[in-house]
Amino acid sequence: MPRTTTTTRSNDAPRLLRTLCNHWRHKFEIRRDDEAHAFVPFVDAAQGADFSVDGDALRIVLTLDDADSIERYRQVIENHLQRFARDETLAFDWQPA
């Protein structure tokens, strides 16, 4: 199953993750272990995005069954996070995992 990962820096990475989870909680059954981690199951329990906060960094691992879905959800994640970032510009450098 294809996987891709990125790490983006933010002035408030925990708030970004919290806002993203609150936004998507009506659509997906999000798993949150704690304030620094969440898994969003875009397709099923194995296919989705794993988010983890480490200081000012938000690490994302995206696992989906095909390259088209990977590209589509990368854009969805980037667009949502950038919208929630307020006055900062986030950088994403996705790499195969």
Side-chain angles (χ1 to χ4, degrees):
M1 196 170 321
R3 294 176 69 181
T4 186
T5 186
T6 191
T7 300
T8 189
R9 303 254 178 235
S10 169
N11 294 330
D12 196 351
R15 182 192 60 77
L16 277 180
L17 180 57
R18 184 174 53 253
T19 303
L20 187 70
C21 289
N22 285 338
H23 179 76
W24 280 340
R25 71 179 177 199
H26 69 281
K27 190 169 186 175
F28 304 107
E29 194 170 318
I30 297 170
R31 290 192 322 252
R32 298 243 14 219
D33 300 332
D34 53 46
E35 290 297 309
H37 179 261
F39 180 79
V40 179
F42 291 129
V43 178
D44 58 31
Q47 297 185 74
D50 192 72
F51 296 86
S52 56
V53 173
D54 184 14
D56 67 347
L58 179 60
R59 181 169 185 263
I60 307 161
V61 178
L62 182 60
T63 306
L64 293 164
D65 62 0
D66 64 79
D68 290 338
S69 293
I70 290 265
E71 180 58 32
R72 185 171 68 110
Y73 279 103
R74 279 181 13 184
Q75 291 300 313
V76 167
I77 291 168
E78 287 182 23
N79 291 341
H80 278 79
L81 287 175
Q82 191 58 63
R83 187 170 12 139
F84 300 144
R86 297 184 184 154
D87 295 332
E88 63 181 319
T89 300
L90 304 176
F92 300 91
D93 182 24
W94 294 93
Q95 300 295 321

